[in-house]
Amino acid sequence: MEYKIPNHVAIIMDGNGRWAQKRGLKRTKGHQKGAEALKKISEYAYDKKIKVLSVFAFSTENWKRDKEEVDFLMNLFLKAFKENFEAVKKKGVKVIFSGVKDKLSEQVIDSMEKMMQETKNNTNGIFNICLNYGGQDEIINATKKISKDVKEGIIDCNDINPDLFNKYLFNDLPPIDLLIRTSGEYRISNFMLWQMAYAELYFTDTLWPDFDEKQMDKAIEAYNNRDRRFGGVKK
Ligand code: FPP
């Protein structure tokens, strides 16, 4: 049987805090290690010819964490956008962001815009970073924009279908084929709800900072053992 590489892989990078606590370290150390893991995995994913990689960097709920942790994460993003993603850029990958700008500092927004601008013509892959992101928020936001366009006569209500709806989301992305969540939690946590409709779900007990190339291979192998029918019947 042909070995399939999923076109769109999404990752909920969970367990940074527990990774650090297990070692008697501050939670922030776990995030730092998590950023290193992401750098490795993103490069590996594009080498494997995965076309779209979406990662959950910061949810709209994560603002509830201690200010120290939130500040640390924001600085980590700034640092990673400057340094780590040079490698992804070199691979010819386009970087995009999903989420809302409110509450993000000007510095973070500027850095996001710079990344998008510098990579906008790249065609080897897409790196979708979900930052200040919520799945229900994304659907509501799209619905509001569609309602406005219907009201203004730009589109007809009868023309609303999944393809059209997709175009109103933060980014017009292909459906997720494989969702990976680390750290032994079996939840979707408001992540890319629309895009996940037919995704294969892969859960592992490995904490995100320990998730390496071997673990990624295991996830792709599990994906290959799934029987995807999209609601149909196997012929
Ligand atoms: C969840 O682990 C992780 C996060 C909220 C942050 C994810 C961020 C990174 C992996 C850093 C790098 C990201 C980019 C885009 C450079 P948790 O803190 O909820 O872990 P816990 O459940 O063990 O407490």
Side-chain angles (χ1 to χ4, degrees), residues 13-18 27 31 35 38 57 62 65 76-77 80:
M13 310 177 288
D14 199 8
N16 292 349
R18 275 164 285 164
R27 292 178 53 82
H31 293 314
L38 176 58
N62 286 150
R65 297 186 177 202
L76 185 64
F77 296 149

Side-chain angles (χ1 to χ4, degrees), residues 88-155:
V88 171
K89 248 167 45 185
K90 271 204 202 108
K91 289 198 185 292
V93 170
K94 180 171 161 178
V95 179
I96 56 173
F97 290 88
S98 294
V100 288
K101 287 188 180 148
D102 55 73
K103 292 203 213 159
L104 291 176
S105 72
E106 228 167 85
Q107 215 186 356
V108 170
I109 294 170
D110 285 351
S111 159
M112 287 160 69
E113 271 162 10
K114 190 166 174 275
M115 291 285 305
M116 287 192 284
Q117 188 58 29
E118 280 178 23
T119 62
K120 69 170 191 246
N121 296 320
N122 290 353
T123 53
N124 289 348
I126 295 176
F127 193 12
N128 174 38
I129 303 171
C130 298
L131 208 169
N132 203 14
Y133 174 87
Q136 290 182 338
D137 249 18
E138 179 172 34
I139 293 170
I140 290 172
N141 185 61
T143 309
K144 283 184 183 162
K145 286 193 282 180
I146 290 179
S147 308
K148 189 168 168 278
D149 281 359
V150 169
K151 205 168 144 201
E152 289 173 6
I154 297 166
I155 53 166

Side-chain angles (χ1 to χ4, degrees), residues 6-13 38 41-42 45-46 50-58 85 93-98 125-131 133 138 170-181 191-193 195-196 208 216:
N7 182 56
H8 186 175
V9 175
I11 312 182
I12 303 179
M13 310 177 288
L38 176 58
I41 289 298
S42 53
Y46 299 115
I50 288 168
K51 278 285 177 200
V52 186
L53 180 66
S54 291
V55 294
F56 209 173
F58 195 87
F85 293 113
V93 170
K94 180 171 161 178
V95 179
I96 56 173
F97 290 88
S98 294
I126 295 176
F127 193 12
N128 174 38
I129 303 171
C130 298
L131 208 169
Y133 174 87
E138 179 172 34
F170 290 132
N171 289 289
D172 187 6
L173 291 169
I176 295 171
D177 300 296
L178 171 65
L179 169 86
I180 300 171
R181 182 173 189 147
F191 186 48
M192 301 190 82
L193 301 175
Q195 299 86 343
M196 218 183 281
W208 174 250
M216 188 72 170

